[in-house]
Amino acid sequence: MSKTTHFLAETAQVDEAAIQALPGSRKIYVEGTRPDIRVPLREISLSPTTTSGVDEANPPLLVYDTSGPYTDPEADIDLRRGLIELRRAWIDERDDTERLDGPTSEYGHRRANDPTLAPLRFDLTRTPRRAKPGRNVTQLHYARQGIVTPEMEFIALRENQRRQALSTKYAGTEEVERILGHQHPGENFGARLPEEITPEFVRDEVAAGRAIIPCNINHPESEPMIIGRNFLVKINGNLGNSAVTSSIEEEVDKMTWGIRWGADTIMDLSTGANIHETREWIIRNAPVPIGTVPIYQALEKVKGAAEDLTWEIFRDTLIEQAEQGVDYFTIHAGVLLRYVPLTARRVTGIVSRGGSIMAKWCLYHHRESFLYEHFEEICEICKRYDVAFSLGDGLRPGSVADANDEAQFAELETLGELTRIAWQHDVQVMIEGPGHVPMQLIKENMDKQLEYCDEAPFYTLGPLTTDIAPGYDHITSGIGAAMIGWYGCAMLCYVTPKEHLGLPDKDDVKTGIITYKIAAHAADLAKGHPAAQRRDNALSKARFEFRWEDQFNLGLDPDTARKYHDETLPKDSAKVAHFCSMCGPKFCSMKISQEVRDYATEHGLDGDRQAVIKGMEEQAERFREQGGELYRDV
Amino acid sequence: MSKTTHFLAETAQVDEAAIQALPGSRKIYVEGTRPDIRVPLREISLSPTTTSGVDEANPPLLVYDTSGPYTDPEADIDLRRGLIELRRAWIDERDDTERLDGPTSEYGHRRANDPTLAPLRFDLTRTPRRAKPGRNVTQLHYARQGIVTPEMEFIALRENQRRQALSTKYAGTEEVERILGHQHPGENFGARLPEEITPEFVRDEVAAGRAIIPCNINHPESEPMIIGRNFLVKINGNLGNSAVTSSIEEEVDKMTWGIRWGADTIMDLSTGANIHETREWIIRNAPVPIGTVPIYQALEKVKGAAEDLTWEIFRDTLIEQAEQGVDYFTIHAGVLLRYVPLTARRVTGIVSRGGSIMAKWCLYHHRESFLYEHFEEICEICKRYDVAFSLGDGLRPGSVADANDEAQFAELETLGELTRIAWQHDVQVMIEGPGHVPMQLIKENMDKQLEYCDEAPFYTLGPLTTDIAPGYDHITSGIGAAMIGWYGCAMLCYVTPKEHLGLPDKDDVKTGIITYKIAAHAADLAKGHPAAQRRDNALSKARFEFRWEDQFNLGLDPDTARKYHDETLPKDSAKVAHFCSMCGPKFCSMKISQEVRDYATEHGLDGDRQAVIKGMEEQAERFREQGGELYRDV
């Protein structure tokens, strides 16, 4: 809050904590078929394994990188200028958009010309783009025409994480490859996970509506990414101010912090002061897609009186935000009048903010909401900027008791109906999901969503598997998120420890992100995503070999791992110690068992059991003769 | 570490943080068929729901309470004296035990008579008990003879949490009961969860080997509890010093802290200095069963040289610990010589400390371990004190890559064989399980364990569903723990954020416990344990009604919930505010939807859809006439 009064555009500075490369890591770029397709990956360098004084190299690990230019020391970061327009040429070349003279929304125009906002305003020198009359600029539209866009190629390279190259260029010994290459078969529940993601596969998935690429033509700064169950599971981080707390700078900091730790998209859910300007700062500096819930801002415009909302105000808000570059809109068009009373006997009624706003509007006017009635007009707007739909679950359960009830599934059916309408307009769609759901009821959500919404990507909040742990809802929901991700959910919306209690701060954002990276990765592993296990294997190999620095650096949060280790064994020498404070030097099982292994492999005891037993008999005596000492001095 | 040099028995003091009642809570006791069966429960008082100025009472919620006398303001806590002998009369009355003159183990005798240890030693005035010659004092033995012990009756009352009484004595209005009483059907995978737990049901489950009651006759201070998949899912918290860090006082503090937050049992895994004395302090002050891994201490006795371990040293250690009151022993008797080479090609070899010690011994001596060869003699010891087995999974996977491999399941088969031997001696048994297992492979662990071990209770560490998050393994494992608890695991061994990195401190203990309480409760909900959902419902009702204090107090960690809330809205007035800082006053969906609900119910709109629509038409006009203002002033 302290920053609120001090924020000034001319002195805005990037959060120093967000622009360091991660430990042991460097940014690399994989080039596509044209030089301006440069796909960022993070390369984690590993130290060699030393056995009997001989070093054996460990190949570096490449991981998906959401942090954008911030972690590239070559990049010149200046929040006031924003990020470079990565996709500008691609959009230009398609020649289906035009530059406007300025914002065409009434509100956007007004804000741009309000002199009192000058100190806060991002200095955007260019004007918005819009589709030329009669053109449709969505990735879905291109995909259906058989066009593989640069965005699609970018995504294919990004999803592959260069895993094919790894087995050749970076190949270590056969032993290293055996360990790193091992992967358990997955249970994919109908997902299709090819060994190699090709640009054509991306196009095909988008064309079928099974995946979306949120990339508004007015957000050329963003690095293309895809959301679909046949790709890596993604996560979203929410931020945004409220009337009670926070400032523009804090929210930008949360964004750069969130993507550093792995947020694939960011939703700006601001409901407080200067929503328009806050969003501009975020989008101009975001290398990931930005989502919003436009009804929040629309409600601000009518001073919080839901019944005063009109289609005209909402429409103007959509255009305002589309011209700023919002990549996906949460639209609660499935809250139908007849569903509202179905929530009356719930334990927690309607807990979606957007859902409750629309419910109130419907009750007051006794008619279907303007979101539902004007849905095709919303599609018309979306296709002129390529804004994807995130069809909101306004009636999601807010408690375990309300899970999977009639209101929830009735709305889901309507979301399916709206999905098909959006698809008629070639507008990309994903579907939002619950909420609070006990474990045994989670799969029904996924199954019904696939059925009702014809495999459009599912995007769920948690779900929280119990209500009884305020302060720990990142965990109650991380459990449900991992499970639904396994079952086929394409993107998981994080929940922070502050859920139900207050606005998350930067620490909460990080905790939420890491928890959800765990859930998403656990889901990728369980689905059997090709090479998902490579990182687990590399980390476990490092752990077993007491390569502490590598263990930290391969983790999702090297800083915290290092800090925890150092609390009890801070000395540098402990980083090469063959133990930690958990067990101490004499009791470390890793240490003992590595020596069991050395002993067994040295003596050829890793074959079939009979040979092993015979071999061991012969070797046991020699082992004793040598003193039987398996411990080594550190 | 600072406490190490200062610990003195004569000045030992209880951790002040552990002896306060939890907020809004008081300890109550449910009396059984005899006055000395007094089962502790925690009663959480709730404030009334105020609607239009009229108060409607909310019944207090009773929850299972592991914290023992510490949270009872009536109790006079003095660590130096230890807890009262709750079960003394029950043990006496059975008249099948005798008092010994003193410790019969050579080591126990030596420690008791070492004058240099006097400053550290707990001043125990009584001597150990042992079964009279030819007698078997296990709860399993009694159960099979058809005897319902006071311990079993205590457990029945404890597991019921007085839920039958709730619907009568504490009944609120019909509406309150409707909300609180709602529960989704569970998916129990073959578990049997009766509406009411009777003492006879407890006896029957114990007799069948499907549940165990760890209660050494030398730990009369403990409050009986049960571990079995047809009961509430339990959690264990580990503590213990290592050669690198910690002291007696710190470990006792971790115990009292751990049970405050819900640890059902505690394992003392000390491997550092003064193991014997540390354990004595813990047991004398522990109202929950204490487990150990005796091989750790045995290894200390041979100065860390695994090959020097002998049956005699181990046997003496078992007797030493049994006479102190250890309630269950982890015994890695399933690590057979022929299984060791199966681990040689693993990514992380053997990661169980006990498993690696035994593997080393087997290799060195080239014979089956003394644990396996002397297993029946171990049974003879256990049945004289009623120490339960926790058959250790010495070959559990230490990485996702090694999950569900031949070594792991071969050992599990052997554990099944040992289970049947233990049962021949009427010794209680549970089986330890992994480890690191990706989600899609978890259920196979549960299914095989039930099959191989004839439904003996399963007790798992996690499992961790990915290896890539050191510093967050409470979460990677909490996901797996919730799932395996759902599938039928009886007790979940916690993992703290320090796992793989260092020894947990008090904060880590709490984080681990709360995470595992979430997992256990999520599992109870998913299994459909009767009335598990009552707490979720009560909390969600409080949340929906903005009863902030109740929401905090009903949570697993009221202190943290309150702290998080107060970070952004610290004023007392905010505790009755109909919003939090997350959304601010205008956007709170709970606030809006409560008013939607009030509106709907006031107008009879919660019936069938057709009536609703008709009714709404009639009422909408009146709603508008009233100004349509759903917001209330705070």
Side-chain angles (χ1 to χ4, degrees):
Chain A
M1 278 198 282
S2 56
K3 284 182 172 183
T4 311
T5 49
H6 303 299
F7 180 78
L8 284 174
E10 64 185 39
T11 57
Q13 285 195 321
V14 70
D15 177 12
E16 284 295 319
I19 57 169
Q20 315 300 321
L22 273 86
S25 296
R26 69 185 182 107
K27 176 90 76 180
I28 68 159
Y29 294 92
V30 177
E31 204 170 291
T33 56
R34 43 188 285 176
D36 66 350
I37 295 182
R38 295 178 73 235
V39 179
L41 290 173
R42 177 159 69 95
E43 183 184 84
I44 307 173
S45 301
L46 302 178
S47 54
T49 299
T50 307
T51 313
S52 312
V54 178
D55 280 358
E56 181 177 82
N58 285 293
L61 191 85
L62 291 175
V63 297
Y64 195 101
D65 187 354
T66 58
S67 62
Y70 294 95
T71 52
D72 184 347
E74 307 287 309
D76 177 22
I77 302 293
D78 185 340
L79 292 188
R80 296 166 302 183
R81 213 171 46 227
L83 300 178
I84 61 157
E85 295 181 70
L86 181 74
R87 299 193 298 121
R88 182 178 190 145
W90 310 344
I91 298 165
D92 280 342
E93 286 167 19
R94 288 193 280 259
D95 197 27
D96 51 6
T97 61
E98 60 190 5
R99 286 274 176 208
L100 301 169
D101 295 334
T104 69
S105 72
E106 187 277 324
Y107 188 83
H109 185 76
R110 175 145 45 98
R111 296 298 280 196
N113 293 294
D114 182 341
T116 68
L117 294 170
L120 286 181
R121 195 182 293 126
F122 182 90
D123 182 25
L124 181 63
T125 51
R126 65 179 193 259
T127 61
R129 283 179 199 267
R130 190 174 62 194
K132 288 180 178 172
R135 304 299 292 267
N136 182 328
V137 299
T138 71
Q139 295 286 321
L140 174 53
H141 185 68
Y142 304 139
R144 285 181 168 174
Q145 293 180 314
I147 299 168
V148 173
T149 62
E151 285 86 345
M152 295 170 196
E153 184 186 340
F154 188 103
I155 284 164
L157 293 168
R158 196 172 194 187
E159 291 279 327
N160 274 325
Q161 299 167 76
R162 209 174 183 171
R163 55 181 183 258
Q164 285 74 21
L166 274 179
S167 53
T168 52
K169 183 171 171 191
Y170 290 108
T173 64
E174 192 186 324
E175 176 72 5
V176 168
E177 278 304 300
R178 183 187 64 75
I179 290 171
L180 297 184
H182 176 264
Q183 173 143 337
H184 294 289
E187 162 60 77
N188 60 31
F189 299 108
R192 297 179 308 150
L193 302 164
E195 273 303 310
E196 181 174 359
I197 304 287
T198 62
E200 176 57 27
F201 181 78
V202 173
R203 188 206 60 75
D204 192 55
E205 289 292 302
V206 172
R210 284 191 297 265
I212 68 168
I213 301 173
C215 58
N216 186 324
I217 54 171
N218 288 307
H219 188 196
E221 300 90 346
S222 78
E223 297 171 342
M225 56 79 70
I226 196 161
I227 301 166
R229 75 169 166 141
N230 297 329
F231 299 92
L232 289 162
V233 176
K234 304 302 187 298
I235 68 167
N236 171 70
N238 292 331
L239 52 77
N241 65 14
S242 78
V244 178
T245 183
S246 199
S247 74
I248 290 177
E249 194 160 352
E250 276 180 89
E251 298 311 317
V252 173
D253 286 357
K254 286 182 199 168
M255 184 274 289
T256 55
W257 192 234
I259 61 173
R260 176 177 181 81
W261 300 111
D264 293 288
T265 78
I266 290 286
M267 289 196 78
D268 174 11
L269 305 182
S270 292
T271 58
N274 305 311
I275 296 179
H276 180 90
E277 288 69 30
T278 302
R279 183 168 49 238
E280 187 74 30
W281 280 95
I282 290 171
I283 295 173
R284 296 288 73 80
N285 287 289
V288 301
I290 300 297
T292 62
V293 187
I295 201 77
Y296 293 174
Q297 190 185 6
L299 188 66
E300 271 299 294
K301 293 176 180 176
V302 294
K303 300 186 170 53
E307 62 276 16
D308 292 345
L309 285 164
T310 63
W311 162 242
E312 289 68 30
I313 289 168
F314 188 74
R315 180 181 173 280
D316 194 69
T317 305
L318 293 180
I319 293 170
E320 170 203 346
Q321 298 198 6
E323 292 185 352
Q324 285 187 294
V326 171
D327 300 288
Y328 61 90
F329 286 152
T330 293
I331 304 280
H332 297 94
V335 180
L336 300 191
L337 180 60
R338 64 182 179 277
Y339 300 156
V340 176
L342 298 177
T343 67
R345 285 175 67 85
R346 279 179 160 183
V347 171
T348 48
I350 301 173
V351 296
S352 150
R353 277 185 268 173
S356 56
I357 292 165
M358 295 321 299
K360 186 179 174 187
W361 192 96
C362 292
L363 279 186
Y364 186 92
H365 297 283
H366 193 65
R367 58 184 291 185
E368 293 304 355
S369 79
F370 51 83
L371 301 178
Y372 184 76
E373 294 193 337
H374 293 269
F375 191 73
E376 300 224 33
E377 288 167 78
I378 301 175
C379 294
E380 291 293 341
I381 295 168
C382 287
K383 70 194 192 193
R384 299 176 83 177
Y385 303 95
D386 199 6
V387 182
F389 277 116
S390 183
L391 293 178
D393 54 336
L395 304 182
R396 69 167 176 266
S399 56
V400 159
D402 296 340
N404 295 26
D405 72 354
E406 192 184 0
Q408 185 194 337
F409 287 139
E411 182 188 30
L412 186 60
E413 283 192 74
T414 299
L415 299 185
E417 172 196 327
L418 296 170
T419 297
R420 288 178 285 276
I421 294 171
W423 283 348
Q424 286 164 14
H425 291 266
D426 288 354
V427 174
Q428 306 187 87
V429 185
M430 62 180 168
I431 309 294
E432 295 186 10
H436 293 238
V437 185
M439 285 191 286
Q440 83 276 25
L441 301 184
I442 291 176
K443 190 149 189 302
E444 184 183 17
N445 279 274
M446 191 68 231
D447 293 343
K448 280 205 158 66
Q449 191 273 340
L450 289 172
E451 179 194 340
Y452 294 171
C453 303
D454 295 348
E455 296 194 75
F458 205 19
Y459 166 34
T460 62
L461 180 78
L464 287 71
T465 54
T466 168
D467 307 338
I468 68 166
Y472 298 81
D473 279 327
H474 58 306
I475 299 176
T476 64
S477 69
I479 295 166
M483 293 173 71
I484 205 162
W486 175 25
Y487 299 151
C489 185
M491 185 157 76
L492 309 171
C493 182
Y494 88 173
V495 172
T496 79
K498 290 279 170 61
E499 183 74 14
H500 300 117
L501 299 169
L503 203 67
D505 61 21
K506 259 180 68 183
D507 284 345
D508 300 317
V509 167
K510 180 173 174 182
T511 302
I513 295 288
I514 300 286
T515 302
Y516 272 66
K517 289 298 282 184
I518 290 169
H521 183 74
D524 286 333
L525 279 178
K527 288 167 76 175
H529 191 284
Q533 202 180 305
R534 188 173 279 268
R535 187 169 181 177
D536 296 76
N537 295 350
L539 191 143
S540 290
K541 184 172 186 290
R543 180 175 281 157
F544 188 69
E545 294 166 356
F546 295 97
R547 289 183 281 118
W548 287 100
E549 294 287 346
D550 291 350
Q551 188 190 156
F552 303 151
N553 295 344
L554 285 163
L556 291 176
D557 178 2
D559 300 346
T560 297
R562 181 186 313 271
K563 188 182 81 171
Y564 285 173
H565 173 271
D566 288 359
E567 278 178 21
T568 41
L569 281 178
K571 286 185 222 141
D572 276 352
S573 65
K575 299 286 182 3
V576 292
H578 281 203
F579 61 91
C580 73
S581 70
M582 195 160 174
C583 311
K586 274 192 298 195
F587 276 87
C588 182
S589 60
M590 289 274 190
K591 182 165 178 291
I592 298 175
S593 84
Q594 190 170 12
E595 291 162 340
V596 167
R597 173 175 160 180
D598 290 349
Y599 175 78
T601 50
E602 275 166 28
H603 299 89
L605 303 185
D606 54 352
D608 68 286
R609 286 202 208 184
Q610 291 312 313
V612 158
I613 290 166
K614 187 172 177 330
M616 283 173 69
E617 279 169 20
E618 294 164 11
Q619 301 300 339
E621 185 57 35
R622 204 174 313 167
F623 182 57
R624 284 189 291 268
E625 282 168 9
Q626 289 161 353
E629 188 48 73
L630 292 175
Y631 297 142
R632 288 184 288 213
D633 289 330
V634 177
Chain B
M1 279 199 279
S2 56
K3 283 182 172 181
T4 311
T5 49
H6 302 301
F7 180 78
L8 284 175
E10 65 185 36
T11 58
Q13 285 196 321
V14 70
D15 177 12
E16 283 296 317
I19 57 169
Q20 314 301 319
L22 273 87
S25 297
R26 69 185 181 106
K27 176 90 76 179
I28 67 159
Y29 294 92
V30 178
E31 203 171 292
T33 56
R34 43 189 285 176
D36 65 350
I37 295 182
R38 296 178 72 238
V39 179
L41 291 173
R42 178 158 69 95
E43 183 184 83
I44 307 173
S45 301
L46 302 178
S47 54
T49 300
T50 307
T51 313
S52 313
V54 178
D55 281 358
E56 181 176 80
N58 286 294
L61 191 84
L62 290 174
V63 297
Y64 195 102
D65 187 354
T66 58
S67 62
Y70 294 95
T71 53
D72 184 348
E74 308 287 308
D76 177 21
I77 302 292
D78 185 340
L79 292 188
R80 296 166 302 181
R81 214 171 47 226
L83 301 179
I84 60 157
E85 295 181 70
L86 180 74
R87 299 194 298 121
R88 181 177 191 147
W90 310 344
I91 298 166
D92 280 342
E93 287 168 18
R94 287 193 280 258
D95 197 26
D96 51 6
T97 61
E98 60 190 6
R99 287 272 178 209
L100 301 169
D101 294 334
T104 68
S105 73
E106 187 277 324
Y107 189 83
H109 185 75
R110 178 147 42 101
R111 296 299 279 197
N113 292 295
D114 182 340
T116 68
L117 295 170
L120 287 181
R121 196 182 291 127
F122 182 89
D123 182 25
L124 181 64
T125 51
R126 65 178 192 260
T127 61
R129 283 179 199 266
R130 190 174 63 193
K132 288 180 178 173
R135 303 299 291 265
N136 183 327
V137 298
T138 71
Q139 294 286 321
L140 175 53
H141 185 68
Y142 305 138
R144 284 182 168 174
Q145 292 181 315
I147 298 168
V148 173
T149 62
E151 285 87 345
M152 296 171 196
E153 183 185 341
F154 188 103
I155 285 164
L157 294 168
R158 195 172 194 186
E159 291 279 327
N160 274 325
Q161 297 168 77
R162 210 174 181 172
R163 55 181 183 258
Q164 285 75 20
L166 274 179
S167 54
T168 52
K169 182 171 172 191
Y170 290 109
T173 65
E174 192 185 323
E175 177 70 6
V176 168
E177 279 304 301
R178 184 188 63 76
I179 290 172
L180 297 185
H182 176 265
Q183 173 143 338
H184 294 288
E187 161 60 76
N188 60 32
F189 299 108
R192 298 179 306 150
L193 303 162
E195 273 303 311
E196 181 175 359
I197 304 287
T198 62
E200 176 56 28
F201 181 78
V202 173
R203 189 206 59 74
D204 193 54
E205 289 291 302
V206 172
R210 284 190 298 265
I212 67 167
I213 301 174
C215 58
N216 186 324
I217 54 172
N218 288 308
H219 188 197
E221 300 90 347
S222 79
E223 296 171 343
M225 57 79 70
I226 195 161
I227 301 165
R229 76 170 166 141
N230 296 328
F231 298 91
L232 290 162
V233 176
K234 304 303 187 296
I235 68 168
N236 171 69
N238 292 331
L239 52 76
N241 65 13
S242 78
V244 177
T245 183
S246 199
S247 73
I248 290 177
E249 194 159 352
E250 275 179 89
E251 299 310 317
V252 173
D253 286 358
K254 285 183 200 167
M255 184 274 289
T256 56
W257 192 235
I259 61 173
R260 177 178 180 80
W261 299 111
D264 292 289
T265 77
I266 290 286
M267 289 195 79
D268 173 11
L269 304 182
S270 292
T271 58
N274 304 313
I275 296 178
H276 180 91
E277 288 68 32
T278 302
R279 184 167 49 237
E280 187 74 30
W281 280 94
I282 290 171
I283 295 174
R284 297 287 73 80
N285 286 289
V288 300
I290 300 298
T292 63
V293 187
I295 201 77
Y296 294 174
Q297 189 185 6
L299 189 64
E300 272 299 295
K301 293 177 182 175
V302 295
K303 301 186 170 52
E307 62 276 17
D308 292 345
L309 284 166
T310 63
W311 162 242
E312 288 69 28
I313 290 167
F314 188 72
R315 180 180 174 281
D316 194 69
T317 305
L318 293 181
I319 293 170
E320 170 202 345
Q321 298 197 7
E323 291 185 354
Q324 285 187 296
V326 170
D327 300 288
Y328 61 91
F329 287 152
T330 293
I331 305 280
H332 296 94
V335 180
L336 300 191
L337 181 60
R338 63 181 179 275
Y339 300 157
V340 176
L342 298 177
T343 67
R345 286 175 68 83
R346 279 179 160 185
V347 171
T348 48
I350 301 173
V351 296
S352 151
R353 276 185 269 173
S356 56
I357 292 165
M358 294 322 299
K360 187 178 173 187
W361 191 96
C362 291
L363 279 186
Y364 188 91
H365 296 284
H366 193 65
R367 58 185 291 185
E368 293 303 355
S369 79
F370 51 83
L371 302 178
Y372 184 75
E373 294 195 336
H374 292 269
F375 191 72
E376 300 224 33
E377 288 166 78
I378 302 175
C379 293
E380 292 293 341
I381 295 168
C382 287
K383 70 193 193 193
R384 299 176 83 177
Y385 303 95
D386 199 5
V387 182
F389 277 116
S390 183
L391 294 177
D393 55 336
L395 304 182
R396 69 167 175 267
S399 55
V400 159
D402 296 340
N404 295 25
D405 71 355
E406 192 185 359
Q408 184 194 337
F409 287 139
E411 182 188 30
L412 187 59
E413 283 192 74
T414 299
L415 299 185
E417 172 196 328
L418 296 169
T419 297
R420 288 178 284 277
I421 293 171
W423 283 348
Q424 285 165 14
H425 291 267
D426 287 356
V427 174
Q428 304 188 87
V429 185
M430 61 181 168
I431 309 294
E432 296 186 9
H436 294 237
V437 185
M439 285 191 287
Q440 84 276 24
L441 302 185
I442 292 176
K443 191 150 189 303
E444 185 183 15
N445 279 274
M446 190 69 232
D447 293 344
K448 281 207 159 62
Q449 190 273 340
L450 288 172
E451 180 194 340
Y452 293 172
C453 303
D454 295 348
E455 295 193 76
F458 205 20
Y459 166 34
T460 62
L461 180 78
L464 287 72
T465 54
T466 167
D467 307 338
I468 68 167
Y472 298 81
D473 280 327
H474 59 306
I475 299 176
T476 64
S477 69
I479 294 166
M483 293 174 71
I484 205 163
W486 175 24
Y487 300 151
C489 185
M491 185 157 77
L492 309 170
C493 182
Y494 87 173
V495 171
T496 78
K498 290 278 170 61
E499 183 74 15
H500 300 116
L501 299 169
L503 202 67
D505 61 21
K506 259 180 69 184
D507 284 346
D508 300 316
V509 167
K510 180 173 174 181
T511 301
I513 295 287
I514 300 286
T515 302
Y516 272 67
K517 289 298 282 186
I518 289 169
H521 184 74
D524 285 333
L525 279 177
K527 288 167 76 176
H529 192 284
Q533 202 180 305
R534 188 173 279 269
R535 187 169 182 176
D536 297 76
N537 295 350
L539 191 145
S540 289
K541 185 172 187 288
R543 180 174 282 158
F544 188 68
E545 293 167 356
F546 296 97
R547 289 183 279 119
W548 286 100
E549 294 288 347
D550 290 351
Q551 188 190 156
F552 303 151
N553 295 345
L554 285 163
L556 291 177
D557 178 2
D559 300 346
T560 297
R562 181 186 312 272
K563 187 183 81 169
Y564 285 173
H565 175 271
D566 287 0
E567 277 177 21
T568 42
L569 281 177
K571 286 185 222 140
D572 276 351
S573 65
K575 300 285 183 1
V576 294
H578 281 203
F579 61 91
C580 73
S581 69
M582 195 161 173
C583 310
K586 273 191 299 195
F587 276 86
C588 181
S589 60
M590 289 272 189
K591 182 165 178 291
I592 298 175
S593 84
Q594 190 171 14
E595 291 161 342
V596 167
R597 173 175 161 178
D598 290 349
Y599 174 77
T601 50
E602 274 166 29
H603 299 89
L605 303 183
D606 53 352
D608 67 284
R609 287 200 207 185
Q610 290 312 312
V612 158
I613 290 165
K614 188 172 176 333
M616 283 171 69
E617 280 169 19
E618 294 165 11
Q619 301 300 341
E621 186 55 36
R622 206 175 313 167
F623 182 57
R624 283 188 291 269
E625 283 168 8
Q626 291 162 353
E629 188 47 73
L630 291 175
Y631 296 143
R632 289 184 288 213
D633 290 330
V634 177

